[in-house]
Amino acid sequence: MTSYKTQVVIIGGGPSGLLLSQLLHRKGIDSIVLEKRSREHVLGRIRAGVLEQGLVALMREAGCGARMDREGETHEGFYIAHQGRLDRINLAGATGGATVMVYGQTEVTRDLYAARDEMGGVVLHGVEDVELHGLRDTRPYVTWQQDGGTHRADCDFIVGADGFHGVSRKSIPADVLTEYEKVYPFGWLGVLSQTPPVAEELIYARHPRGFALCSQRSKCLSRYYIQVPLSDRAEDWSDDAFWAELKRRLPQDVAAGLQTGPSIEKSIAPLRSFVAEPMRYGNLFLAGDAAHIVPPTGAKGLNLAASDIYYLYHGFQDHYLNGDSAGLDSYSQKALARVWKAERFSWWMTNLLHRAPDGNDTDLRLQQADLDYLFSSAAAQASLAENYVGLPY
Ligand code: FAS
Ligand code: PHB
């Protein structure tokens, strides 16, 4: 058995866990990261594409911002396609200059892994049967199976950054935890293609046939989504069928300019709103998807993980460097206040743009009225914009 002694054990080697480990290490606070899957598997996931300024700032503070600043693109707005036309949301104009960075989560994770390696950070892959112990004691510890043996890490704190299906949230007693969930009756079929983006900025499309999104990763790598029934499987959709359906949901002039090509990734993501309260139990802190899930419409998933990590990073700094635990003690309440606002925005934007399978004509008219109000009111656009660029930490 290998035994470790560290200050913080982080479960999960996704963006949340890696970012926290990197930030803490630069402040002299020791951690180890336990990741179930291989690095190749983690880096093979295609997920978020839009970074709020808060996450951009954290990546720079973590010493991981160079490639993001070189290859990422600053976007000052995006389009909503509806009734055959494009209307633009001027993010910078409506928020006094705030913007978003278009840079894939895969690249964020790649940069974080590289930084962990460079600093000699401990990230263990292929760990199994992770168990959390002594969460209410002064000396919690974590055990796991690896290479045929049992291993143990003694620590001061445990951070559960192990995503929606992880072990951390399930380690909190059921009578302590409250879970809030809303499952949407549709999913997003996503395609990645080595083709130039159809437009300079993102296009969110509302169409009677269903939602579509035109996003991008670079000038030669595009990411597209269409709303599909939950019963669909990615293998049910040929590339040709996907491109034809996407074109049907875009204004004709936009569809005419769409460059199609073979999909290099194709997957369906379910949509749900989910929050687990509290985000702390004894010495265990939940962060990122382990604690909350949003429908990706508002591009908030990864960005909410970032604000959790910001609060934990400052809380651990104050605890270890100044002997002040107020930040850790208020973590759950502070994080949840921002989480619920992002949950609301993501739910609102999802309802604004998707076709409800059980919706009727009245629902469609109310949805159109929501859009008509949005594009007739500077205040409504400013409200959307301030949520999309990210509410203050
Ligand atoms: P993650 O799930 O990324 O990472 C958790 C890590 O913990 C994983 O690597 C997992 O292997 C590991 N783990 C799990 N259980 C473990 C255990 N028992 N022991 C050790 N390790 C364990 N967000 C957007 O903003 N836009 C999008 O378009 C978007 N698309 C998405 C599509 C999908 C299919 C999914 C699932 C999510 C999507 N998201 C999107 C949200 C996504 O970006 C998350 O918010 C982001 O990955 C959160 O990062 P983490 O909290 O690190 O969780
Ligand atoms: C993406 O590029 O994957 C993306 C962008 C914006 C969203 C969701 C996903 O709202």
Side-chain angles (χ1 to χ4, degrees):
M1 165 155 102
T2 312
S3 289
Y4 294 83
K5 191 157 171 23
T6 185
Q7 291 169 299
V8 183
V9 170
I10 298 171
I11 303 174
S16 298
L18 294 169
L19 178 58
L20 179 62
S21 181
Q22 176 68 9
L23 287 164
L24 293 179
H25 197 165
R26 286 168 63 92
K27 292 295 182 187
I29 299 169
D30 193 45
S31 67
I32 65 169
V33 177
L34 303 178
E35 166 55 48
K36 180 167 71 173
R37 311 306 292 261
S38 71
R39 187 173 293 197
E40 294 65 35
H41 182 94
V42 176
L43 290 174
R45 297 178 186 134
I46 306 298
R47 290 189 176 168
V50 172
L51 313 185
E52 293 175 358
Q53 283 309 307
L55 175 50
V56 169
L58 275 177
M59 285 292 283
R60 290 171 181 154
E61 183 168 354
C64 304
R67 190 164 73 99
M68 173 191 71
D69 286 327
R70 230 180 16 254
E71 299 177 12
E73 275 197 8
T74 298
H75 281 213
E76 298 190 353
F78 65 82
Y79 292 96
I80 291 181
H82 65 112
Q83 294 181 303
R85 71 172 191 273
L86 288 181
D87 281 320
R88 184 167 184 265
I89 296 291
N90 180 354
L91 296 173
T95 60
T99 59
V100 292
M101 168 84 80
V102 171
Y103 186 68
Q105 172 176 325
T106 308
E107 305 320 312
V108 167
T109 311
R110 197 188 312 279
D111 295 340
L112 288 167
Y113 268 123
R116 289 285 65 218
D117 293 346
E118 201 175 314
M119 286 191 76
V122 178
V123 180
L124 303 178
H125 287 277
V127 303
E128 293 177 341
D129 305 326
V130 168
E131 288 186 40
L132 288 62
H133 309 271
L135 296 180
R136 307 291 295 183
D137 301 347
T138 53
R139 298 297 305 156
Y141 63 97
V142 176
T143 56
W144 66 95
Q145 298 301 315
Q146 189 167 23
D147 304 330
T150 302
H151 306 265
R152 168 174 170 145
D154 287 90
C155 55
D156 300 330
F157 300 103
I158 302 169
V159 174
D162 47 353
F164 184 67
H165 301 290
V167 65
S168 303
R169 187 179 67 250
K170 296 166 189 145
S171 303
I172 297 178
D175 61 350
V176 171
L177 203 64
T178 304
E179 296 185 342
Y180 301 87
E181 184 167 49
K182 178 181 188 56
V183 178
Y184 297 82
F186 40 75
W188 279 18
L189 168 61
V191 157
L192 193 65
S193 60
Q194 285 172 327
T195 53
V198 71
E200 286 293 310
E201 296 177 327
L202 273 59
I203 300 175
Y204 290 81
R206 177 220 181 217
H207 189 277
R209 296 178 66 89
F211 168 84
L213 171 60
C214 302
S215 185
Q216 54 193 266
R217 293 290 181 271
S218 70
K219 285 297 175 221
C220 55
L221 190 61
S222 297
R223 179 70 168 165
Y224 295 103
Y225 298 93
I226 57 173
Q227 171 188 345
V228 293
L230 277 177
S231 53
D232 277 17
R233 296 171 308 152
E235 52 268 32
D236 297 341
W237 282 83
S238 69
D239 286 0
D240 290 347
F242 176 85
W243 295 121
E245 186 58 36
L246 176 63
K247 286 181 177 179
R248 290 187 196 102
R249 300 185 188 187
L250 296 173
Q252 282 184 350
D253 56 331
V254 176
L258 179 69
Q259 287 200 44
T260 64
S263 60
I264 57 175
E265 193 272 350
K266 191 187 291 176
S267 56
I268 291 181
L271 271 67
R272 80 174 75 234
S273 300
F274 174 86
V275 179
E277 293 186 359
M279 289 174 59
R280 177 183 188 178
Y281 176 69
N283 293 306
L284 169 63
F285 297 88
L286 300 182
D289 278 17
H292 42 73
I293 298 285
V294 283
T297 323
K300 290 291 155 245
L302 177 60
N303 292 301
L304 267 184
S307 45
D308 292 348
I309 295 310
Y310 174 86
Y311 298 134
L312 279 177
Y313 165 51
H314 287 280
F316 282 127
Q317 264 192 89
D318 290 345
H319 172 82
Y320 280 112
L321 308 186
N322 311 322
D324 175 0
S325 296
L328 293 179
D329 294 342
S330 63
Y331 166 70
S332 179
Q333 168 260 332
K334 203 164 21 173
L336 285 167
R338 190 171 192 274
V339 163
W340 275 110
K341 294 189 184 84
E343 291 283 350
R344 179 214 65 84
F345 173 66
S346 304
W347 160 81
W348 171 78
M349 201 158 163
T350 300
N351 285 321
L352 179 73
L353 298 170
H354 288 72
R355 173 73 193 260
D358 59 351
N360 58 30
D361 289 347
T362 306
D363 296 310
L364 285 174
R365 291 301 297 270
L366 286 168
Q367 192 181 55
Q368 187 56 55
D370 211 348
L371 273 168
D372 293 344
Y373 167 61
L374 175 63
F375 288 109
S376 66
S377 160
Q381 289 171 52
S383 171
L384 191 167
E386 72 170 356
N387 280 279
Y388 193 87
V389 298
L391 296 178
Y393 281 10

